[in-house]
Amino acid sequence: QERFRDNKGLRRWASRQNIKFYQELLKNLDKQDFDSMTEKENFVEEFMTKLKEKLEEIDSKVFDIKKMENCFSIYQDSYNMIKEYKVSDNKTQFKKNNYQQFKAYDKAKREIYILDRKYNIKNLEELTKVKDSLLVERQRLYAELDERKIMKSRNFDLER
């Protein structure tokens, strides 16, 4: 902020950026046909609500996907154990001896099924691609939300 106060060129640049931002915002708002200021405020509020809902949806998906990230490697690592189980004479004893590995295998198998059905993800590469695209979308939406909050606070300051 001190740099901003002391640098005339930076202040001028910031002012131009703010003007461009407000012009773009006004263009978008003017495209809408509003009868009153309250209607305009309701439109902005509805937009913010939808934006927050979309962010929550993306955050939920990212959380789910991150939680199931290791399922493909666990499933792959279990291959030898399953092979040994199939050829073992005493399957019940083998399961008891390898209970934790079977539990991890079953969980990984269930998570792979969920990823396939819910997100159409069939392997680790697809999981990484989907997760990265969700994170990029999330970042874009958070940036837009921050812009709107800044704009809203500036409008509040101007009204005073």
Side-chain angles (χ1 to χ4, degrees):
Q1 289 184 3
E2 189 175 305
R3 262 183 55 200
F4 182 76
R5 265 186 278 128
D6 296 339
N7 191 331
K8 187 176 180 180
L10 186 58
R11 276 196 316 245
R12 200 176 298 146
W13 175 84
S15 297
R16 285 187 194 135
Q17 294 303 313
N18 287 338
I19 290 169
K20 285 179 187 176
F21 175 74
Y22 285 124
Q23 285 173 340
E24 190 67 32
L25 180 66
L26 287 173
K27 247 191 265 179
N28 290 335
L29 287 175
D30 287 341
K31 289 178 186 174
Q32 303 292 328
D33 188 25
F34 297 111
D35 293 333
S36 68
M37 192 62 177
T38 307
E39 210 173 293
K40 198 179 251 188
E41 289 169 357
N42 289 342
F43 174 79
V44 171
E45 204 57 44
E46 184 180 324
F47 174 79
M48 292 293 284
T49 302
K50 286 180 182 177
L51 188 64
K52 287 176 183 177
E53 287 172 359
K54 183 71 174 163
L55 279 168
E56 288 172 3
E57 177 188 332
I58 290 174
D59 285 343
S60 174
K61 286 180 182 179
V62 168
F63 178 77
D64 284 350
I65 289 174
K66 280 185 175 182
K67 192 171 64 174
M68 295 184 261
E69 229 170 1
N70 296 327
C71 66
F72 293 105
S73 62
I74 292 170
Y75 187 81
Q76 190 175 19
D77 293 345
S78 302
Y79 175 76
N80 288 330
M81 180 196 63
I82 298 299
K83 231 168 94 173
E84 290 173 17
Y85 169 73
K86 287 182 178 180
V87 296
S88 71
D89 295 331
N90 189 350
K91 295 188 185 310
T92 307
Q93 187 60 41
F94 189 87
K95 273 189 173 181
K96 282 182 183 177
N97 293 343
N98 297 291
Y99 175 74
Q100 292 300 324
Q101 291 94 333
F102 270 101
K103 191 174 171 183
Y105 169 78
D106 287 340
K107 181 180 178 209
K109 192 173 175 181
R110 184 175 56 252
E111 288 175 350
I112 288 171
Y113 177 81
I114 291 168
L115 286 170
D116 184 26
R117 294 292 177 237
K118 198 171 182 181
Y119 302 106
N120 198 26
I121 295 173
K122 297 182 183 351
N123 55 44
L124 185 59
E125 292 79 27
E126 289 178 8
L127 183 138
T128 304
K129 206 182 297 182
V130 168
K131 184 182 75 171
D132 290 345
S133 69
L134 284 170
L135 290 173
V136 165
E137 177 68 9
R138 179 176 167 233
Q139 188 65 32
R140 186 188 68 75
L141 288 173
Y142 271 118
E144 191 172 333
L145 182 63
D146 287 343
E147 269 183 27
R148 301 293 179 192
K149 283 181 180 178
I150 290 169
M151 182 213 50
K152 196 173 184 178
S153 69
R154 285 181 183 165
N155 282 345
F156 182 73
D157 289 343
L158 290 174
E159 289 172 2
R160 282 199 223 173

